Amino acid sequence: MVVPLFAQETFAGLASESIPIDREKQYQTMAIDWMQQYLRIDTTNPPGNEGKAVAFLKSIFDRENIENQEFEYRPGRGNIWARVPATVANPKRPLILLSHMDVVTSDASQWKYPPFSATINNGVMYGRGAQDMKSEGLAQLMVMVMLKREKVALDRDIIFLATADEEVDDSGTDWMIANRRELLENAEFLITEGGENPLVGGKVKYVGLDVAEKSPFWLHVVATGKPGHGSRPSPDSAPNRLIRALYRIQNYQPEIKVIPVMQEFMRDLAPLQPELLQPKFRDIRRAMKEPAFREMISQDDSLNFLFRDSIAITMLSGSEQTNVIPAQAWANLDVRLLPGEDPTKFLETIRKVVADPNVTVTPMKDNFEVPNASPIHTDLYRSIEEVANHYFPGAPVVPRLSGGYTENQRFRQLGVVSYGFSPFAATEEEGSTEHANNERIRVAEVERGPKVLYDVVVNLAGAK
Ligand SMILES: [Zn+2]
């Protein structure tokens, strides 16, 4: 007997109601089993060893008769690509489900359970990669298998891509784009890590979708001056010049800029604010013209970086010895630029702020990844909104600007609309285990997450 999963509820456009409940249960069991197997593969990067993860994923795709290709670009390291093809005559452009297989290092002595044991205790699964990002990779794998087994009619190809080396050098994605670009560049949409669905008091507060990223533009500041003995100080010494330069940088505030994503973000968050602030959040461009409000945003570390290029002084160095005045002193600045910014102009400005011929400011890297953003009025965005509405009623879907780097940046340059979206809800505590000790995810999320993502995909790509 076929029992619709959501028998009592109707929500327009979601084709997934057709999965019978017994198979739904099977998928949940499969998800837990595969998640444990995946977490037990040690892909700590460095060195990565993603080849073992490729073999694991490939064995599943082969067994399920899903078209796939593996690319071993270095011994023991590689990517895997798979596809469930469209079933209509003139398909739309593909959707890519992207994940990375490598994980960051872990110190087993600091963990409750070994980081590659995938131990389940009290409904919680522990393992390096449980948040970042084997969980989402698993959900993407499940979606491929579910699409195939349920014989879903699709109006576009669904492409699965798992890459190596995201956490260190990004050589996996670099290799794919350099060598097998034709397998990816025609895509219209891409979903990968990023985004967050914070669980507060048992309810998802909002569904955050990363649609834009700032880009690192790290700067190296070097001051030179007369060296000498520490017993004879001079105001023109390198350390003194450096300190004065950094003081000027510290007091320099890049101007506030409201990019379109932030306008939407603030508007969507308005209903969650105290009444007095709501109109300001709804029209942030106008509110930013009020000095008091601008000051309030500037003082709020959780908001300030979203509205301006940011500068953090992070590394400092002078003499190796207390009694020696060095000829050189240096500092590094972690600078992050908003989408649309010009690094050359920014550098010019900082040099003007420093205004000292004995202090140089230079970029630490030759290549600058241009910060970019994806539009939000898209079919994928709407699809996520509809599905989020079902699973997390009352939680608005909000577009976010991310301060860090993800592979979205690379794919946006190919013309692919790329979002950071998580199909899992996590408490702040669970989320904070990413890259930390005792990384974990609740088993209930492992069971549900694949279905959330499946609904998004079917809602977008199910042939009407
Ligand atoms: Zn990651």
Side-chain angles (χ1 to χ4, degrees), residues 100 132-133 166-167 193:
H100 63 81
D132 182 14
M133 69 170 295
E166 192 271 350
E167 296 287 4
E193 67 184 330

Side-chain angles (χ1 to χ4, degrees), residues 31-39 125 130 134-135 138 446:
I32 297 166
D33 177 28
W34 288 354
M35 179 71 176
Q36 283 187 300
Q37 291 188 42
Y38 197 16
L39 284 179
M125 193 187 292
K134 282 181 172 164
S135 46
L138 178 273
V446 180

Side-chain angles (χ1 to χ4, degrees), residues 424-453:
F424 306 103
T427 63
E428 201 189 334
E429 198 204 348
E430 289 162 354
S432 70
T433 64
E434 175 177 329
H435 289 213
N437 298 329
N438 298 312
E439 188 173 350
R440 58 188 178 271
I441 186 168
R442 271 168 300 110
V443 171
E445 291 297 329
V446 180
E447 290 175 335
R448 182 178 65 172
K451 185 60 171 35
V452 174
L453 187 60

Side-chain angles (χ1 to χ4, degrees), residues 240-272:
N240 286 343
R241 281 184 184 277
L242 180 69
I243 287 166
R244 287 195 294 269
L246 293 178
Y247 181 72
R248 288 192 284 268
I249 290 172
Q250 196 193 343
N251 285 309
Y252 167 68
Q253 272 279 40
E255 65 177 298
I256 283 191
K257 285 180 185 158
V258 182
I259 64 170
V261 171
M262 289 311 301
Q263 215 176 345
E264 301 269 352
F265 174 77
M266 299 300 273
R267 187 156 59 219
D268 291 343
L269 284 184
L272 308 175

Side-chain angles (χ1 to χ4, degrees), residues 187-206:
E188 182 173 10
F189 298 118
L190 177 144
I191 294 174
T192 189
E193 67 184 330
E196 60 165 4
N197 313 317
L199 197 58
V200 182
K203 272 202 79 174
V204 169
K205 207 169 149 201
Y206 60 83

